[in-house]
Amino acid sequence: MNFKQKLLVASLVLGFSQLSSLAHAADPIKIGVSGPFTGGSAPMGVSMRDGVKLAVAEINAKGGVMGRSLLLIERDDEAKNERGVQIAQELINKEKVAATVGYINTGVALASQRFYQEAKIPVINNVATGSIITKQFADQPDNYIFRNAASDQIQSHMIVEEAITRRNFKKVAILADSTNYGQLGRADLEKALDAKGIKPVAVEKYNIKDVDMTAQLLKAKQAGAEVVLTYGIGPELAQIANGMEKLGWKVPLIGSWTLAMGNFIDNAGKNGDGTRMPQTFIQDASTPKRKAFIDAYVAAYKPSGGRMPSAVSAAQGYDSVYLLAAAIKQAGGTDGPKVRAALENLNEKVDGAVTTYNKPFSKTNHEAITADLTVFGEVKDGKVILAK
């Protein structure tokens, strides 16, 4: 082979290599989205997914991340641990996702995210709040589990402060559902109460799909409870408010953020008025960014009455994509360890619907939401407003 032929072959090889690199650069970045899009937790799951989709559409309209579009791979985990496990393995091994956002239910997150930890692929929990979630692998050299939602530790402390310190109640009842979420939250509430020297006069459990809380509420009433604290994930919460009305027993209802869900507000009706819960986001155009997000969401999805089924889920879902996109950009690609390291030391401020995130994570702290970002919402006339 003479010099000219060698030069031609070298040029062809270089050309094919460049074409291959360009083709790879143009490949979309696959992002998994896992949540319950059917069943009792669907208002949270669908709202989260819609917030995620809105962020992806905005990012792609501006050219994507490093010239690559984001491609969502959506899966309905049905709020079932075993389904979440199947989905995690599918997204990792078959779809080859760069990262996953989502998880609504604490139990599903705890069962599923170990596969991402093993594969060294980041997960941003954007709704699930169990305190243990980001600490599940904290003892390992690198932790791939992140969160931008108010943990149960934050919420339980706020709930107890509201009931005991601000409103001076001494006799407290707790009603929590039987899920991992409900029972871990109940344990956090009891710890927070214990720190105040308060022991609940009643601690009652109920199951998903229960339609009558009379027995649990009677025990709380007969024990002299002055306030009812709740931890639950579904429409059963409305049965507590409605059951109290049936018993002619009206005491304040204070609980975790899920009391802001549309299926509680609609099913409880006037019986839900006055209910309070911690919130990272209230559907109120209090800043230009929040107004833009709310307007875009309502225009895209046209929710009934203009009210998001779960505003917190939508906003946190939206923000999780922007946090992830910033990390991928900083990492210069989708390599899992590099994206994790970028999340732990984000150089760029990320303007979100919940807040403007400024170095939200570190090597030892994977919680983006702090107590000072969380406020109390109150149900009034069919919507959630900022509590006075």
Side-chain angles (χ1 to χ4, degrees):
M1 186 181 292
N2 60 35
F3 177 75
K4 286 186 178 179
Q5 288 173 321
K6 289 179 179 178
L7 187 61
L8 177 62
V9 170
S11 298
L12 287 170
V13 169
L14 180 60
F16 282 127
S17 175
Q18 290 174 333
L19 284 171
S20 176
S21 296
L22 287 170
H24 177 71
D27 286 346
I29 298 171
K30 290 185 175 181
I31 307 298
V33 187
S34 184
F37 308 140
T38 55
S41 294
M44 295 181 282
V46 172
S47 297
M48 177 275 290
R49 180 186 64 186
D50 288 347
V52 166
K53 289 166 68 174
L54 196 62
V56 166
E58 291 175 358
I59 291 169
N60 286 344
K62 295 177 182 177
V65 180
M66 300 182 302
R68 297 170 66 183
S69 62
L70 301 181
L71 176 64
L72 296 179
I73 310 297
E74 303 172 20
R75 293 292 185 271
D76 180 5
D77 63 34
E78 304 170 29
K80 296 176 180 176
N81 295 3
E82 63 277 14
R83 179 66 182 139
V85 165
Q86 292 170 351
I87 288 169
Q89 294 177 84
E90 179 186 347
L91 291 177
I92 292 166
N93 299 318
K94 181 182 176 183
E95 297 295 346
K96 310 293 184 185
V97 297
T100 282
V101 299
Y103 292 128
I104 303 297
N105 307 90
T106 292
V108 179
L110 293 174
S112 307
Q113 60 190 18
R114 69 178 184 271
F115 297 99
Y116 292 95
Q117 178 71 17
E118 291 168 2
K120 298 184 178 181
I121 295 173
V123 172
I124 300 183
N125 281 270
N126 51 27
V127 179
T129 59
S131 296
I132 193 176
I133 282 175
T134 57
K135 300 177 178 68
Q136 192 175 9
F137 309 107
D139 61 340
Q140 297 188 16
D142 295 312
N143 181 7
Y144 286 80
I145 314 303
F146 297 81
R147 172 161 52 195
N148 67 309
S151 72
D152 288 343
Q153 190 169 12
I154 289 173
Q155 292 186 69
S156 59
H157 177 77
M158 288 181 67
I159 292 165
V160 168
E161 282 294 310
E162 173 74 9
I164 307 303
T165 304
R166 288 192 70 248
R167 299 172 77 169
N168 203 34
F169 296 122
K170 303 298 183 188
K171 295 184 176 180
V172 175
I174 299 175
L175 266 67
D177 73 25
S178 59
T179 66
N180 282 329
Y181 171 72
Q183 292 307 301
L184 288 170
R186 183 265 311 153
D188 282 337
L189 279 178
E190 290 192 84
K191 287 177 190 174
L193 286 167
D194 186 62
K196 297 283 187 185
I198 300 289
K199 183 176 177 60
V201 296
V203 179
E204 295 296 319
K205 184 191 295 186
Y206 62 89
N207 296 316
I208 297 298
K209 297 185 179 178
D210 279 359
V211 295
D212 187 356
M213 304 290 176
T214 303
Q216 295 95 324
L217 289 168
L218 272 174
K219 289 181 182 178
K221 182 181 180 183
Q222 290 166 358
E226 301 166 317
V227 61
V228 172
L229 311 184
T230 67
Y231 245 91
I233 60 174
E236 297 80 19
L237 291 167
Q239 302 301 335
I240 297 174
N242 294 336
M244 290 165 69
E245 173 68 16
K246 289 177 185 176
L247 292 175
W249 183 47
K250 187 61 177 175
V251 297
L253 190 61
I254 308 170
S256 60
W257 75 273
T258 49
L259 285 165
M261 287 170 58
N263 58 10
F264 168 78
I265 296 170
D266 291 339
N267 292 332
K270 63 179 178 59
N271 298 330
D273 279 359
T275 299
R276 292 193 171 189
M277 74 300 291
Q279 300 280 274
T280 60
F281 181 86
I282 291 172
Q283 192 176 339
D284 175 29
S286 54
T287 68
K289 179 65 178 181
R290 289 188 169 193
K291 184 179 188 309
F293 167 68
I294 292 166
D295 289 349
Y297 186 101
V298 172
Y301 305 114
K302 299 176 175 57
S304 177
R307 188 192 68 203
M308 300 176 189
S310 176
V312 167
S313 303
Q316 292 171 178
Y318 177 86
D319 288 2
S320 68
V321 175
Y322 274 99
L323 289 167
L324 182 59
I328 292 172
K329 179 183 175 183
Q330 183 173 313
T334 57
D335 176 73
K338 290 181 180 178
V339 174
R340 172 197 51 76
L343 281 168
E344 291 176 342
N345 186 30
L346 276 178
N347 297 325
E348 174 188 341
K349 288 184 180 180
V350 177
D351 193 15
V354 171
T355 189
T356 296
Y357 300 85
N358 184 15
K359 293 193 178 298
F361 305 114
S362 69
K363 178 73 173 177
T364 57
N365 182 10
H366 284 197
E367 302 279 357
I369 301 297
T370 55
D372 61 349
L373 294 175
T374 312
V375 298
F376 259 99
E378 180 177 315
V379 177
K380 184 177 181 181
D381 298 329
K383 62 180 181 180
V384 176
I385 61 171
L386 183 65
K388 303 290 187 185

